[in-house]
Amino acid sequence: MAQEQKAAKIFGGWNRRYKHTSDVLGCDMTFTVFFPPAATESKPAPVLYFLSGLTCTDENVTTKSGIQRKAAEEGIAIIAPDTSPRGLKIEGDSESWDFGEGAGFYLNATQPKWKQYRMLDYIVKELPSVLKQFKQLDLSKASITGHSMGGHGALTIGLKHPDMYQSISAFSPISNPMNVPWGQKAFSGYLGDDKETWKQYDATELVRKYEGPPRNIIITVGTKDDFLDNQLKPDVFAMAAAGTNVSVDLKLQEGYDHSYFFISSFIDDHVAHAARALKSS
């Protein structure tokens, strides 16, 4: 059972932060839910999961993006989980900002040292189970989005579990992690040297073999993003999707960077994308 830690009213709804003990990860975890004003037990709201990026927590999107305004208008709840286990005290888990705490990469680690880093199972299995305590949420209608590492998570989780999510989108996603420094560091640490295992968590590899229902994926990236060419590679993902059941709407936004200034400028597009899919399902 999740326990409320704090709450704030915003755009007529409520931002509520919770803590619970995660059996999957072996530690306490926090997550935030935005309940739109229209959400009630008799008329529960569909949900949009937002997965955050490296160094972030559940609070980055809820305090910096303004996502609640459009979500309130559309009657959609926002689910913002944390990005990794916290407080496990594994040697080396806080030595670098792009591996360990704050950098769970939304995968299930196979290396014994990191066996508790099972963010895929947490997002797909445990968190939805915990959320069932909130009768104002219709968890059968869900979409997924995210930023950077969280964009990688949204793409891979959405493609791996097409039955769970009505739509997928991403801001500045790490789209081909097998072939960029961030992904190579994370995958070698969490998954070892087996490149076939890496492919299970690479969106570009997954989209080539996608066999689920048709999907139109929105990817939004700033042209002045310092990580665009050497870490993100959304164009590689878009090319890999050609000829599959996935269409990619790659939106390059002139002059924008990787920050939440950028995300807040285009967050409404992603909420509206999710709303269209959720309301037609």
Side-chain angles (χ1 to χ4, degrees):
M1 180 72 71
Q3 303 296 321
E4 186 175 302
Q5 302 297 296
K6 60 182 179 180
K9 192 170 185 179
I10 179 170
F11 296 115
W14 283 91
N15 225 55
R16 299 187 184 276
R17 196 180 198 213
Y18 298 92
K19 178 183 286 188
H20 74 106
T21 298
S22 168
D23 295 329
V24 167
L25 304 176
C27 62
D28 286 344
M29 292 292 285
T30 56
F31 63 87
T32 296
V33 180
F34 170 68
F35 296 92
T40 64
E41 291 190 13
S42 60
K43 191 177 180 181
V47 303
L48 172 60
Y49 292 87
F50 187 100
L51 307 184
S52 289
L54 290 165
T55 75
C56 294
T57 71
D58 56 300
E59 291 196 295
N60 288 75
V61 67
T62 57
T63 61
K64 295 180 178 181
S65 74
I67 193 172
Q68 299 93 337
R69 189 196 66 80
K70 187 65 172 177
E73 178 184 312
E74 296 285 2
I76 293 175
I78 304 299
I79 312 297
D82 203 350
T83 52
S84 74
R86 304 276 178 178
L88 294 176
K89 300 188 185 304
I90 299 171
E91 182 185 2
D93 67 1
S94 58
E95 289 182 357
S96 59
W97 61 272
D98 54 358
F99 186 84
E101 281 200 357
F105 266 82
Y106 304 102
L107 50 74
N108 288 340
T110 59
Q111 298 304 289
K113 180 177 179 179
W114 303 99
K115 63 182 179 180
Q116 288 172 269
Y117 273 64
R118 301 184 62 83
M119 286 300 293
L120 173 62
D121 281 353
Y122 178 74
I123 297 298
V124 172
K125 298 178 180 178
E126 188 173 36
L127 182 57
S129 179
V130 172
L131 292 169
K132 288 180 180 177
Q133 76 182 76
F134 306 115
K135 304 304 181 186
Q136 312 96 308
L137 304 179
D138 183 356
L139 300 172
S140 69
K141 295 182 178 180
S143 288
I144 192 164
T145 189
H147 171 232
S148 195
M149 178 186 72
H152 144 77
L155 293 177
T156 56
I157 291 173
L159 291 169
K160 288 165 76 74
H161 301 276
D163 57 321
M164 290 186 63
Y165 307 99
Q166 274 72 61
S167 72
I168 306 167
S169 70
F171 288 94
S172 313
I174 306 171
S175 305
N176 187 203
M178 291 183 65
N179 293 310
V180 301
W182 279 342
Q184 290 166 347
K185 180 176 181 177
F187 286 5
S188 60
Y190 294 132
L191 303 173
D193 297 329
D194 183 3
K195 298 295 179 64
E196 290 302 310
T197 303
W198 291 19
K199 289 180 180 179
Q200 298 176 27
Y201 299 103
D202 187 299
T204 296
E205 295 294 330
L206 290 171
V207 78
R208 290 192 177 107
K209 300 177 181 179
Y210 179 78
E211 296 180 349
R215 285 286 181 262
N216 171 244
I217 298 177
I218 291 177
I219 294 178
T220 309
V221 186
T223 60
K224 296 299 184 182
D225 191 316
D226 290 339
F227 307 113
L228 178 57
D229 294 328
N230 68 329
Q231 299 282 15
L232 305 182
K233 298 189 180 297
D235 54 325
V236 176
F237 175 80
M239 287 187 290
T244 73
N245 219 11
V246 175
S247 62
V248 179
D249 185 2
L250 178 56
K251 300 175 182 291
L252 296 175
Q253 302 294 352
E254 184 64 35
Y256 286 88
D257 59 16
H258 197 74
S259 72
Y260 269 84
F261 295 114
F262 156 66
I263 294 173
S264 64
S265 299
F266 302 102
I267 193 68
D268 286 6
D269 294 346
H270 289 247
V271 176
H273 175 67
R276 288 190 293 271
L278 292 168
K279 292 176 181 180
S280 64
S281 62

